[in-house]
Amino acid sequence: MEAAASGCKGFAKVKWRRRRRRSAVARPSASVRMKVTKLQKLIPGGQGLQPDRLFLRTADYIVHLNLQLNVLQALSKIYQLS
């Protein structure tokens, strides 16, 4: 039993910290709110949307921009051949 106790000498010196738990209704930090506000300004129709709807609108906008890019690249290839 002494061998087990001697191996744990430094154990008593360790300071244990409790992690702060965030409540289920935690408010977003200021940096998150600022980023959401910037995103609302970038996305057409994003002003005033709640974050969950804003993220859906952002995903749709990314798909829309990707489709526009594909169309422009296809047109560019067509006119390069002429």
Side-chain angles (χ1 to χ4, degrees):
M1 185 139 177
E2 262 181 59
S6 65
C8 297
K9 284 183 181 179
F11 186 76
K13 296 179 182 178
V14 175
K15 292 183 180 180
W16 296 96
R17 293 184 185 176
R18 285 190 169 185
R19 289 187 180 182
R20 282 181 30 192
R21 287 189 176 194
R22 294 185 180 193
S23 66
V25 194
R27 295 187 49 99
S29 67
S31 66
V32 172
R33 276 182 268 146
M34 187 172 62
K35 289 174 184 177
V36 167
T37 303
K38 285 183 181 179
L39 186 59
Q40 285 175 331
K41 292 177 184 176
L42 284 173
I43 303 301
Q47 292 289 340
L49 288 179
Q50 294 297 318
D52 57 340
R53 294 309 240 167
L54 179 63
F55 297 143
L56 291 173
R57 178 76 55 101
T58 302
D60 289 341
Y61 188 57
I62 290 170
V63 169
H64 176 77
L65 290 175
N66 198 3
L67 288 172
Q68 277 187 334
L69 180 64
N70 290 340
V71 167
L72 291 172
Q73 286 175 339
L75 287 172
S76 175
K77 284 181 185 179
I78 290 171
Y79 286 110
Q80 280 180 354
L81 297 175
S82 303

